[in-house]
Amino acid sequence: MKASYRFLFILGLAVFLPSCEKDLNVIPRSVITAASMWQSEGDAIAALNGALSQFRAALSDAYIQWGDYRTGHFGDATGSQASFQDLYLNSLDDLDVGTNWATIYKAINDCNLILKYVPDISFSNADTKNYTLATAYFLRAFSYYYIARVWGDAPIVLSGFESDTQDDLYPSRSPLADVLSQVKQDIETSIGLFPNDAPGTRKAGSRAAVLMLKADYNLWMAKTQNGGTDALNAAKSAVDEVLNNGSYQLAEDFSSLFSSDDNNEIIFALNFARDEYEGGFAADWLVAVQYLNDKSLVENPVKVGSHQQWVTFTDEFESFLFERSNDTRAAASMESYNEEGNQRFKWINKYPGEWSDGTRFFTSDIKIYRLAEAILFKAEIENALGNSAEAIVQLNKIAQRAYKEDNYYAAGLSQSEVNDIILDERLREFAAEGKAWWDLIRFGKVYDMVPALQGREGEQNLLLWPVNAASINSNPAIIQTPGY
C-alpha cells in the first residue's frame, strides 16, 4: 500500500487540523495555532505532517502552472478552460490562476510555527528533533525559492502568525535579493541539521532533497543573478554529494517512473494517496469519457479522467517529443489515438493515477526531484565551468536510457553546442514535470522559444507574475508587480 504522510514517521500520526477561513492579507491564520499543542514530540511530528500537507496543497496545481503553462508547450484539449488561456498566451492579469500566493504563504507559516516552538520541546532522540527542524527549513526554503522566481519582490515572513491581533499583519514586499538571500540561509541551515542517517523518505524531507534544492538554487543564481563561479561551484558540490549517494539509481525503464511511485530514482515527491489527498494538475490531462463513441476504448488504449480534459500538449510540442523515433520517453510522456469515425484524442501520460472499477483516482505522486535531474544539473554545471567533455559524459547517461545507444553524443562538441543539447534533453526528459519555464529562462532562451514572448523583451517584468487582486485588496502594504 502506498505510504501516506500519516505514516512517514514511526513516532506519530499526522493530524490535519482545519484552517481558519479569515484571510490575514498574505497569511491566513495557520492550521497549527494552538499553543497548547506544542507540548510533546508527538505534537511536533503532527505539526510537521500538517506543514507537509499544506505544502502539497500549495503546489498541487500551481506547480505546473508556474513551471510549464507559460512555455507554449500546452494548450486547450477536448475542453477549453478560460482560466488557463492567459497563461498559454503570456497575457496574465491579477485574477488568473497561479497569481494568489496565500496558500504557499500558509505553508511557510506552518514552518515558521514549527521553527518557533520545536526547539523548546523535549525529544527522545536528538536526530528526530533535528530532522523535524531540518525539514521545516527545507520546505520554507523551497517555498521562498518559488516565490522569488514567480513574483520577484515578496514579503519575507519568518515569525508564525497565530492571532489576528498581533503585530506585523501587513507585511510589504522585500527586494528580490533579500528573498533569495533568505532561501540560501534556510538551505544551509537545513543541510546543517539533517542527521547523516536521516529517514530516507522521498515524500518528506531528506538531505538529498535539500542538496538538490541547493544545486537548483545556485544554478539559478549563477545564470540569472550574476552569481558567477562561486554559485556554480556551490551547485557542483551539492549535486556531487547526491550523485555519490548510493540510495538513488537511474531507472532502467523511463515509463516505470510514472507507473509506480516506488522508484529509487525519485529523490523528492509530493505524496498523493486514496482516501487522503487526490487530484492535482494531472486531473486536467486525460480524455473525458463522453467524447468516445466506442466505450470499449476506455483504458484500451484511451486513458480517461474524472472530468473535462482541459489541457494537453500543443501539436508543435508533440512533434518535438516524437521527432526522434528511438526516443523511449516520448510515448511514456504522451499517447494518442484516432477513433474511427471520430476525432483524434491525445493525452499526457505522466501522473495517471489508478484506474479501478471504472473510476480514475489521481494518486500519482508529483515528482519534484529525481536522479536524472541531478545528472543533467551536473552536465549543466560542468559545461558552464568550461568542462564540456565531462558534461557530455553526463548527457550520455541520460541518452543511453532514452535512445538505448552508448555514447549517443560525441566528444568534441563546443560549449555552446553542449548547452543547446542539455536544454533539449531537459525539455524531453521533464516534459510536463514543471521544469520547462525555469529552464528556458535559465538558459536565456525564453524569448526565442516561447511564441507568445517573441519580440516582447522590452516589457517590464514580463517573466514575473502579477499579485492576485485579493492579496492587494486585503493588505494595503502590497503593491502590484510593476508592469501589471
Side-chain angles (χ1 to χ4, degrees):
M1 175 182 291
K2 180 191 280 192
S4 78
Y5 283 139
R6 292 189 297 270
F7 305 105
L8 291 177
F9 304 97
I10 62 173
L11 298 165
L13 299 178
V15 176
F16 302 116
L17 300 178
S19 61
C20 177
E21 294 297 326
K22 181 178 179 181
D23 284 345
L24 296 179
N25 333 289
V26 172
I27 306 173
R29 187 179 297 173
S30 174
V31 297
I32 309 167
T33 57
S36 61
M37 76 160 285
W38 300 98
Q39 302 296 315
S40 68
E41 181 175 336
D43 293 338
I45 299 302
L48 183 57
N49 281 302
L52 284 161
S53 178
Q54 181 60 41
F55 180 78
R56 173 182 59 193
L59 297 181
S60 62
D61 289 303
Y63 184 74
I64 203 76
Q65 294 162 9
W66 295 333
D68 258 327
Y69 284 178
R70 297 183 65 184
T71 59
H73 301 165
F74 294 79
D76 291 335
T78 51
S80 177
Q81 177 59 269
S83 62
F84 294 137
Q85 289 171 358
D86 282 355
L87 278 60
Y88 304 152
L89 299 174
N90 282 283
S91 57
L92 278 63
D93 62 45
D94 61 6
L95 297 177
D96 281 327
V97 294
T99 60
N100 196 327
W101 58 26
T103 310
I104 197 165
Y105 270 105
K106 191 171 180 181
I108 289 171
N109 198 48
D110 289 352
C111 293
N112 287 343
L113 290 167
I114 290 168
L115 299 174
K116 175 181 178 179
Y117 287 108
V118 168
D120 295 328
I121 295 175
S122 295
F123 278 67
S124 59
N125 184 295
D127 280 352
T128 305
K129 182 174 187 175
N130 287 339
Y131 178 82
T132 303
L133 293 168
T135 301
Y137 276 113
F138 164 62
L139 296 178
R140 191 170 78 176
F142 190 101
S143 298
Y144 274 124
Y145 180 47
Y146 266 73
I147 287 169
R149 294 191 299 174
V150 173
W151 288 284
D153 298 350
I156 301 173
V157 184
L158 303 179
S159 59
F161 284 90
E162 300 173 87
S163 167
D164 56 10
T165 62
Q166 70 188 71
D167 295 332
D168 302 324
L169 288 177
Y170 298 94
S172 59
R173 298 177 77 169
S174 296
L176 170 63
D178 293 348
V179 183
L180 290 169
S181 178
Q182 185 61 48
V183 175
K184 179 179 181 180
Q185 181 178 326
D186 281 352
I187 287 172
E188 295 302 329
T189 304
S190 179
I191 291 172
L193 283 167
F194 266 117
N196 290 331
D197 59 348
T201 176
R202 289 161 170 80
K203 303 184 183 189
S206 71
R207 183 176 177 87
V210 73
L211 287 167
M212 286 295 291
L213 176 60
K214 181 176 180 178
D216 193 346
Y217 165 83
N218 279 287
L219 261 175
W220 185 265
M221 295 300 291
K223 290 191 163 185
T224 74
Q225 304 296 314
N226 299 313
T229 302
D230 287 347
L232 288 171
N233 284 327
K236 179 177 179 177
S237 174
V239 82
D240 282 348
E241 184 175 338
V242 175
L243 292 171
N244 291 329
N245 185 335
S247 299
Y248 305 102
Q249 293 90 38
L250 204 63
E252 292 184 13
D253 177 12
F254 182 84
S255 65
S256 69
L257 291 164
F258 302 94
S259 60
S260 171
D261 291 329
D262 296 320
N263 194 298
N264 286 336
E265 182 171 328
I266 299 165
I267 297 171
F268 178 55
L270 303 181
N271 182 71
F272 285 67
R274 284 174 68 170
D275 303 321
E276 188 207 333
Y277 195 94
E278 302 172 36
F281 53 76
D284 296 330
W285 290 353
L286 301 186
V287 176
V289 67
Q290 64 263 32
Y291 291 104
L292 292 170
N293 291 331
D294 182 356
K295 297 304 188 276
S296 70
L297 297 175
V298 172
E299 296 301 298
N300 183 34
V302 180
K303 283 192 174 70
V304 300
S306 57
H307 59 245
Q308 284 280 1
Q309 183 192 34
W310 302 121
V311 180
T312 196
F313 289 138
T314 63
D315 292 344
E316 292 77 11
F317 192 65
E318 177 188 356
S319 296
F320 167 78
L321 290 177
F322 283 90
E323 69 181 355
R324 299 174 184 173
S325 60
N326 61 340
D327 191 342
T328 59
R329 296 168 298 190
S333 300
M334 180 194 156
E335 285 188 287
S336 63
Y337 184 80
N338 293 302
E339 184 183 10
E340 185 176 355
N342 198 1
Q343 62 185 306
R344 176 177 184 259
F345 298 98
K346 61 182 181 180
W347 59 94
I348 297 168
N349 238 354
K350 293 182 175 179
Y351 310 120
E354 309 166 57
W355 178 257
S356 178
D357 296 326
T359 302
R360 174 74 60 187
F361 298 93
F362 287 95
T363 55
S364 294
D365 293 346
I366 297 175
K367 285 72 176 174
I368 304 294
Y369 289 127
R370 49 188 178 87
L371 190 64
E373 185 157 33
I375 293 168
L376 287 170
F377 275 165
K378 173 73 169 174
E380 187 175 347
I381 295 161
E382 295 290 358
N383 196 51
L385 289 170
N387 304 323
S388 296
E390 177 59 26
I392 292 171
V393 170
Q394 300 302 321
L395 276 168
N396 279 328
K397 295 177 183 178
I398 301 300
Q400 198 285 327
R401 176 172 71 180
Y403 311 115
K404 305 304 180 186
E405 292 183 27
D406 294 331
N407 301 313
Y408 185 84
Y409 293 110
L413 297 170
S414 70
Q415 186 180 43
S416 176
E417 289 171 326
V418 173
N419 224 36
D420 288 344
I421 290 170
I422 294 168
L423 175 58
D424 184 87
E425 286 295 343
R426 286 189 62 89
L427 295 178
R428 298 175 191 278
E429 179 77 20
F430 303 116
E433 292 185 53
K435 306 287 182 180
W437 177 251
W438 311 121
D439 291 343
L440 292 170
I441 294 174
R442 197 171 67 250
F443 280 86
K445 298 289 188 179
V446 68
Y447 289 106
D448 299 325
M449 297 180 68
V450 179
L453 293 180
Q454 290 172 359
R456 299 177 63 187
E457 295 88 341
E459 295 184 33
Q460 186 179 22
N461 290 328
L462 183 57
L463 303 185
L464 297 178
W465 290 57
V467 179
N468 192 269
S471 296
I472 294 176
N473 291 339
S474 60
N475 181 356
I478 297 298
I479 62 169
Q480 184 57 272
T481 305
Y484 287 98

